[in-house]
Amino acid sequence: MIDTTNSPHVKLRSIPIGDCRWTEGFWADKFQQCQDVMIPYMGSLLKGDIGHGLNNFKIAAGMMEGKHQGFAWHDGDFFKWMEAAVYVYSINRDSSILEELDEILEIVAKVQEDDGYLHTQIQIENIGHFSNRKYHEMYNCGHLYTSACVHHRVTGKRNFLDIAIKNADLLYKLFQPRPKELCRFGFNQSQIMGLVELYRTTRDKRYLELAEIFINNRGQSEVVDDPSTEGYPIGDMVQERVPLREETEAVGHAVLALYYYAGAADVFAETGEKALIDALDRLWHNVCEQKMYVTGAVGQAHFGASTRRDKIEEGFLDAYLMPMATAYNETCANIANAMFNFRLLGIHGQSKYADIMELVAMNSALVGIGLGGKDYFYANPLRLNRGQRDYQDHRDCTESPIREPYIECFCCPPNLVRTIAKLSNWAYSLTDNGVAVNLFGGNRLETKLTDGSDFTLTQQSAYPFEGAIRFTVEKCRQRPIEILLRIPDWADGAKLLVNGSPMGINVEPGSFSKIERSWESGDTIELNLPMDVTLMKGHPLIEEVRNQAAIKVGPLVYCLESPDLPDDVRTLDVHLPSDIDLKKESDPELLGGITTLSGEVLVRSEQRQQMYGRLHDGQPWRTIQTRFVPYFAWSNRGEAEMTVFLPIVWSQRT
């Protein structure tokens, strides 16, 4: 996905695409569904008259009549679907996938103009090239480059890569001189990631230079509307008020910001510029320790203002300002958070970044797709109540109380599907003398270490519902190598055995445990992570969750959903005893056989009509038995109320 094989400023390097594959359990099931359902279904949308992605290319190529449909960035979303298909091909080697992509690429090549320009809406509607940044040309370019590099690495073909190179050469010609009229164009920053990947693929230094130019251009212009910006918010919304190296807080549109930071991290991995990584570390702290939800989600509001009072959309608010019912948490933003952390994991080699990758993957990313693999959320609140919003009259293209089979703004679904398709490539990294284990789940790693020697490792686990994980070394060189095992920050009391013995290895939550030795075929490592039910509280400055708690087991956040309550009880009526005893239950007939939590909660209904009233006893307390389901699985049983946080009733025993 990102090739840091030769990047001089990383501690952990990415494994080649396809070297790890899921074999059993949670993520193996998700990948299988991705291969069998998610990608084919999405392809039927994007190649048909609903999604209209391929139709746009056919119209631009003169192969059919019609109008452009979808938003200006629809080409980039189509490229993401193509990238997802390549990840699946890297595992199953189904030649029909390549044949289909080759047919598509023939059409894309016909659309590309002689100078390399490629953007179907602008070409169909005869809009001036690079005349206004609201058309998101850079976004489309970035996903073109990334998808093309992945395609080339997996297949060895150049038909996609040559299209990308031709387009990138045009960008270099236009943007490298840094003309004033183009200096505010690089605001949707996927092109920075794409250009660095194109540099890593071709070793053409112009692409890395151009990626740096797009970073350096930010914060250098007067923040006023000009012909290149009209029709789209300016300032903090697009991270252009303060140069990146001077920025102290995450502002504006969350996807734009995190793509920007991820691209800058890619640049740092190649250049080692200290000012860049210092800024990114500050921004990581602000995002992940002051503006991130318990699910790993980010982007608190659909509409609002930055601390500098610029209008923002789908983005960051002030620190600790964390609404629950109106939390926006765009699926793309959550995924971008994981992408940013994956890059910092490589740079710093610290397990806390993998903790967030996993938190996002298991919760705020996966919630974006239904258990059937064919319907999607765009926004992901942590609470939904009846009467909260009249969805029938006031719903826009990105908000719904249920997942939709197609969303007009289709950026999130292919982004999530490509993430599921490639997640096995996040499971391991290469160290200078071995491997690091980042994610858990049944899988098989067959790779080469940095010295070129073969290494094979298998992982057996029912994670995330069980914490017993067993690794078996199948092939390894004779000289010692290190295996780094992530000990999640929640895993107090984790135990580690090598060939059945403790070996005196330090096991510290929130770090990598290092085992360095000569390995023989058949050697085993047993990692036991305590999967205790934990009540989570928020920072005291998060007013929305004062005296409330969420439930977490390992990496999974749980929620309460109205189908698990009596008809006369709403989620607003439910209170959580501080000493609640929750039992794990597995029901193969419920939501695909997930593990639920069952216990007694306190209920008191108050049908208040006034906005405020006197405190009184109201209805008497009663106790009911209910169950909690993983957050990613909510809204798969029809329209429902849901909440992650519940008010606490404190017991004297706690």
Side-chain angles (χ1 to χ4, degrees), residues 378-600:
Y378 186 105
N380 299 287
L382 275 74
R383 183 174 293 142
L384 185 66
N385 301 309
R386 291 197 306 273
Q388 176 181 319
R389 204 178 276 147
D390 187 343
Y391 285 98
Q392 298 307 313
D393 295 332
H394 303 292
R395 184 174 68 193
D396 68 14
C397 66
T398 61
E399 292 180 283
S400 171
I402 59 172
R403 294 182 185 83
E404 302 283 355
Y406 181 72
I407 303 171
E408 184 183 0
C409 181
F410 204 64
C411 55
C412 295
N415 203 8
L416 177 52
V417 169
R418 74 167 179 162
T419 301
I420 294 170
K422 72 182 178 183
L423 195 65
S424 61
N425 295 287
W426 285 4
Y428 297 92
S429 298
L430 298 178
T431 71
D432 287 342
N433 188 40
V435 298
V437 181
N438 305 322
L439 300 178
F440 305 116
N443 64 53
R444 181 178 178 84
L445 173 69
E446 292 184 80
T447 193
K448 290 185 181 296
L449 303 180
T450 53
D451 67 350
S453 63
D454 293 330
F455 181 77
T456 302
L457 183 73
T458 60
Q459 185 179 157
Q460 296 171 287
S461 174
Y463 193 85
F465 299 119
E466 295 180 17
I469 305 163
R470 182 182 178 90
F471 301 88
T472 303
V473 176
E474 293 190 1
K475 182 183 291 187
C476 186
R477 72 185 189 202
Q478 292 184 343
R479 287 182 289 113
I481 72 159
E482 63 184 13
I483 297 178
L484 306 183
L485 294 172
R486 178 174 66 94
I487 311 300
D489 58 359
W490 45 262
D492 291 318
K495 298 186 183 304
L496 186 59
L497 304 175
V498 178
N499 292 331
S501 300
M503 306 294 290
I505 299 163
N506 184 44
V507 182
E508 184 70 27
S511 69
F512 281 106
S513 285
K514 179 179 176 179
I515 311 170
E516 187 168 12
R517 54 176 283 156
S518 295
W519 299 91
E520 296 182 2
S521 178
D523 282 349
T524 62
I525 303 170
E526 294 171 71
L527 176 61
N528 282 283
L529 302 175
M531 308 295 278
D532 300 327
V533 178
T534 305
L535 299 188
M536 305 291 293
K537 64 179 182 178
H539 189 284
L541 292 180
I542 306 176
E543 294 183 17
E544 283 252 6
V545 297
R546 286 292 299 270
N547 201 41
Q548 296 182 45
I551 299 169
K552 195 163 178 273
V553 181
L556 291 175
V557 175
Y558 279 71
C559 68
L560 178 66
E561 199 177 7
S562 54
D564 296 313
L565 295 172
D567 291 341
D568 64 338
V569 176
R570 298 185 58 185
T571 56
L572 290 171
D573 301 333
V574 179
H575 295 65
L576 196 66
S578 61
D579 60 351
I580 189 169
D581 182 19
L582 290 168
K583 305 294 186 184
K584 296 179 183 178
E585 297 179 350
S586 182
D587 183 349
E589 303 301 319
L590 177 68
L591 299 172
I594 60 174
T595 296
T596 63
L597 303 175
S598 179
E600 291 187 342

Side-chain angles (χ1 to χ4, degrees), residues 54-273:
L54 185 57
N55 285 351
N56 288 336
F57 283 99
K58 289 180 178 179
I59 294 166
M63 299 171 63
M64 64 182 288
E65 296 292 325
K67 296 181 179 180
H68 180 276
Q69 293 186 32
F71 286 93
W73 50 88
H74 207 46
D75 293 356
D77 300 333
F78 190 67
F79 293 142
K80 282 186 280 188
W81 172 79
M82 296 173 69
E83 182 182 342
V86 175
Y87 291 129
V88 169
Y89 170 78
S90 74
I91 300 298
N92 69 13
R93 296 292 166 174
D94 181 351
S95 61
S96 67
I97 294 175
L98 292 194
E99 292 168 4
E100 179 181 32
L101 293 178
D102 284 345
E103 292 173 2
I104 292 170
L105 289 169
E106 286 183 14
I107 298 170
V108 175
K110 289 179 181 178
V111 177
Q112 189 169 36
E113 299 184 11
D114 291 341
D115 67 355
Y117 189 83
L118 183 63
H119 188 294
T120 60
Q121 182 185 15
I122 285 177
Q123 291 171 270
I124 291 169
E125 298 179 3
N126 294 314
I127 299 168
H129 299 183
F130 302 107
S131 59
N132 191 310
R133 67 185 187 182
K134 70 181 180 182
Y135 294 111
H136 293 258
E137 286 153 294
M138 298 295 101
Y139 174 89
N140 287 351
C141 291
H143 287 296
L144 166 65
Y145 304 160
T146 299
S147 299
C149 289
V150 167
H151 180 267
H152 175 67
R153 286 173 192 155
V154 171
T155 70
K157 291 173 172 279
R158 291 192 60 95
N159 50 345
F160 206 171
L161 184 64
D162 287 341
I163 294 170
I165 288 172
K166 189 176 180 180
N167 183 263
D169 288 347
L170 172 65
L171 255 60
Y172 185 84
K173 178 182 177 181
L174 294 176
F175 286 87
Q176 190 275 340
R178 301 180 72 175
K180 184 178 180 180
E181 66 272 15
L182 295 179
C183 66
R184 297 175 72 184
F185 255 81
F187 78 99
N188 199 340
Q189 305 287 7
S190 62
Q191 88 280 1
I192 298 178
M193 291 183 283
L195 284 165
V196 175
E197 227 46 57
L198 205 54
Y199 160 71
R200 290 166 171 165
T201 303
T202 66
R203 308 311 294 178
D204 188 331
K205 292 183 178 179
R206 294 179 303 153
Y207 305 138
L208 179 60
E209 176 192 353
L210 186 56
E212 289 189 273
I213 287 172
F214 280 119
I215 293 173
N216 297 339
N217 279 349
R218 311 308 293 155
Q220 301 299 324
S221 301
E222 187 180 1
V223 182
V224 295
D225 270 321
D226 64 35
S228 74
T229 69
E230 291 176 0
Y232 199 83
I234 61 176
D236 277 341
M237 168 65 175
V238 294
Q239 299 82 39
E240 68 175 347
R241 197 169 279 285
V242 178
L244 178 63
R245 296 167 181 84
E246 301 172 18
E247 187 59 276
T248 58
E249 66 167 324
V251 295
H253 194 288
V255 178
L256 307 189
L258 286 159
Y259 277 7
Y260 188 15
Y261 308 158
D266 284 335
V267 170
F268 170 82
E270 305 304 325
T271 67
E273 183 193 341

Side-chain angles (χ1 to χ4, degrees), residues 613-632:
R614 289 178 297 173
L615 178 66
H616 58 85
D617 290 340
Q619 298 293 322
W621 289 104
R622 60 187 171 115
T623 299
I624 66 168
Q625 184 81 12
T626 191
R627 65 185 169 195
F628 298 83
V629 300
Y631 174 71
F632 75 79

Side-chain angles (χ1 to χ4, degrees), residues 337-339 341-343 345 352-362 423 426-427 438-439:
N337 190 25
M339 292 166 61
N341 275 274
F342 178 62
R343 286 158 169 81
L345 171 68
K352 66 181 181 180
Y353 304 111
D355 286 346
I356 294 177
M357 288 159 46
E358 179 179 72
L359 181 67
V360 170
M362 292 282 187
L423 195 65
W426 285 4
N438 305 322
L439 300 178

